[in-house]
Amino acid sequence: MRHERMRLILTGMCLVVVARGAVPILGAQRSPDYRQLKYPRLNDVVVPDVQRVTLANGMRLLILEDHELPLIHLSGRIRVGSIYEPADKVGLADITGEVMRTGGTVSRTGDELDDELEQIAASVETSIGQDAGYASVSVLKKDIDKGLSILADVLMHPAFREDKIELAKMQQRSRIARRNDSPQAIAAREFDKLIYGPASVYARHTEYATIDSITRDDLVAFHKRFFGPNNMILAVWGDFDTRQMIAMIEKAFEEWAKIDLDLPAKPTVDYAWRSTVNLVCRPDLNQSNIYLGHIAGLMSDPDYAALTVMNQVLGGGFTGRLFKNVRSRQGLAYSVFGTYSSRYDHPGVFAMGCQTKSESTVHAIEAILAEARKMTEEEVTDEELQLAKDSYLNSFVFNFDSTAEVVSRLMTYEYYGYPPDFLQKTRESIEKVTKADVLRAARAHLRPDAMQILVVGRPEDFDRPLSTLGEVRTIDVTVPTPGK
């Protein structure tokens, strides 16, 4: 017992001596400062060579052999979209894209197609988005004949059966009924309407009346107007021989006649710079969903690279100024975001925002505005610049981590008229961006004096009235009653 007590005393004395630095710990050494670490330049990404072919019927093909797995994929892009549907029939494009597949073809119902595809573990899908239509097939190499024939049948001979049209319309009505369930969804939707205008094709949405007005004849006419081989790009990748695949596609679509390509011009965006304060009252909430910003730009803008870096400095996740200053240092938000979005063929949206407790609503708005203003007043720091550029450059390789991603991106560039090496050129431009470039781009494209502010929340609980920021306009988001 006495020996045990003595051992404990000596052990305690040793610990005290070590803690005071009298005895060095073997193998211990200071960790190097992470800012002093040096990394070699990343290897250049090798982009696979994609073959381009235009068929006699006008269909453009992008073809890439990939023999890693016995699979073949086809993905089509059709120049169509909800931007071309009439204002009194919003939802027509979406329903057309869905029922092309679910409604089956003249020779087979959608359920019969499901059974055929299930037997060969394949999929065929169609849809129509805002400014493009999509069609795809994924199939085992041994079943490519059947998979390709089903895709061609769906694209050329959709039956648009009434029962599937009514089912799609019921689903649309259900979405309309639920569209105000999420305060965050309300904020995003209404903010787009502030930027583009409530009647703009880039912001409008379905109503019961627009869905009810859609008929089968509308779907047939919409399909007939936009779906043709000379209005489509088809990307193909997988385990095949290129020459044989071209011949198979030609045969599958040989009966598909060209269409008149006198398509309407894409709608333009006419934006008026202004400061506004807008409120969606939600008495049931104890927190505010905040959006503020204005129109943004195009990916073809010469400042695109500098704006990409600026965007990373301002709203780039945990390292962005909004996160560090508004959320972490001031504790004003549960979540905070900021993004300057550039789009291919029409201006994107510059939006910042957060979710915060009602009692800090105005304070949070002012803090976010201050960060936007700061971007236009002084250069970013050396560390911010390097971190933003590294974030983009170090993740660049993930743009090429699958054949599908490479081919799909090249198809997107071709669809919007961008050069096939656009991404590589952007990386080169990012590498050259300086602090002066970021400040110049921020001053040219950010307008802290002309922000549109939107709050979804309970105004009675705000720390100060929203009117301290400007005249408040109340937005009514009540869903119109069916039949009216």
Side-chain angles (χ1 to χ4, degrees), residues 317-463:
F318 297 115
T319 62
R321 289 181 176 182
L322 289 173
F323 187 93
K324 291 193 294 187
N325 296 333
V326 177
R327 184 187 187 278
S328 298
R329 292 175 184 168
Q330 300 187 57
L332 292 172
Y334 310 120
S335 64
V336 63
F337 69 90
T339 178
Y340 188 97
S341 67
S342 299
R343 298 184 179 168
Y344 289 103
D345 62 352
H346 70 276
V349 176
F350 169 54
M352 302 176 292
C354 70
Q355 292 178 324
T356 185
K357 61 182 180 181
S358 301
E359 293 79 8
S360 59
T361 299
V362 176
H363 189 181
I365 293 172
E366 291 175 336
I368 293 172
L369 282 170
E371 294 303 325
R373 192 173 297 110
K374 183 180 176 182
M375 290 297 306
T376 66
E377 293 175 344
E378 59 186 46
E379 291 184 349
V380 300
T381 66
D382 291 330
E383 184 177 6
E384 286 177 321
L385 177 69
Q386 194 59 50
L387 187 60
K389 293 169 71 171
D390 286 347
S391 177
Y392 180 91
L393 298 172
N394 291 342
S395 62
F396 185 78
V397 66
F398 297 111
N399 291 298
F400 305 89
D401 55 2
S402 72
T403 303
E405 195 168 2
V406 173
V407 178
S408 296
R409 182 169 51 252
L410 289 176
M411 180 167 57
T412 298
Y413 290 158
E414 183 145 334
Y415 183 82
Y416 291 106
Y418 279 66
D421 62 347
F422 175 76
L423 190 64
Q424 291 90 323
K425 294 296 184 184
T426 299
R427 183 190 65 174
E428 294 172 5
S429 298
I430 293 280
E431 291 175 332
K432 299 174 183 176
V433 169
T434 66
K435 294 187 296 182
D437 292 331
V438 175
L439 181 60
R440 177 187 49 75
R443 286 175 172 173
H445 297 273
L446 299 191
R447 292 282 298 274
D449 61 328
M451 290 283 184
Q452 301 211 59
I453 300 170
L454 172 67
V455 179
V456 179
R458 176 182 169 88
E460 295 85 355
D461 295 339
F462 294 170
D463 46 343

Side-chain angles (χ1 to χ4, degrees), residues 77 108 116 123 199 292 298 361 412-413 421 435 441 467:
R77 192 77 56 91
R108 292 171 285 194
E116 284 191 52
S123 68
L292 59 153
L298 296 168
T361 299
T412 298
Y413 290 158
D421 62 347
K435 294 187 296 182
S467 56

Side-chain angles (χ1 to χ4, degrees), residues 109-297:
T109 68
D111 295 337
E112 289 171 340
L113 289 178
D114 291 341
D115 292 339
E116 284 191 52
L117 292 167
E118 185 176 353
Q119 290 173 13
I120 60 174
S123 68
V124 170
E125 303 296 339
T126 61
S127 64
I128 299 178
Q130 187 180 79
D131 65 350
Y134 306 90
S136 65
V137 59
S138 179
V139 65
L140 290 169
K141 177 182 179 179
K142 66 184 182 64
D143 298 313
I144 182 58
D145 285 333
K146 176 170 281 192
L148 184 57
S149 68
I150 291 176
L151 176 68
D153 197 19
V154 168
L155 287 172
M156 294 189 294
H157 311 120
F160 296 118
R161 290 179 170 81
E162 290 282 6
D163 60 331
K164 298 300 184 181
I165 294 175
E166 187 53 40
L167 177 60
K169 292 170 77 170
M170 288 176 59
Q171 293 169 337
Q172 289 283 349
R173 295 186 189 106
S174 178
R175 295 188 191 106
I176 294 171
R178 301 194 312 269
R179 74 179 179 209
N180 288 334
D181 289 354
S182 166
Q184 193 169 7
I186 294 173
R189 182 186 72 232
E190 296 302 321
F191 189 72
D192 276 350
K193 291 162 74 172
L194 287 176
I195 302 302
Y196 295 115
S200 169
V201 296
Y202 301 113
R204 66 189 183 184
H205 49 74
T206 56
E207 298 289 1
Y208 291 119
T210 67
I211 296 301
D212 292 343
S213 71
I214 296 171
T215 66
R216 180 181 181 277
D217 288 342
D218 295 325
L219 272 67
V220 172
F222 197 75
H223 172 269
K224 183 178 179 180
R225 182 183 186 188
F226 293 100
F227 280 78
N230 53 328
N231 196 34
M232 178 176 175
I233 304 171
L234 185 64
V236 192
W237 66 97
D239 189 11
F240 54 78
D241 174 80
T242 296
R243 185 175 300 179
Q244 293 177 356
M245 178 55 64
I246 294 173
M248 292 177 64
I249 294 173
E250 284 182 318
K251 182 178 180 181
F253 292 99
E254 62 183 351
E255 296 179 3
W256 205 10
K258 292 183 179 180
I259 61 171
D260 182 4
L261 282 183
D262 185 21
L263 303 179
K266 283 199 171 182
T268 58
V269 176
D270 185 17
Y271 186 77
W273 291 95
R274 58 196 180 276
S275 298
T276 67
V277 182
N278 307 272
L279 172 67
V280 177
C281 291
R282 285 293 298 264
D284 57 321
L285 299 181
N286 59 8
Q287 67 177 26
S288 296
N289 282 264
I290 299 169
Y291 269 66
L292 59 153
H294 51 63
I295 199 75

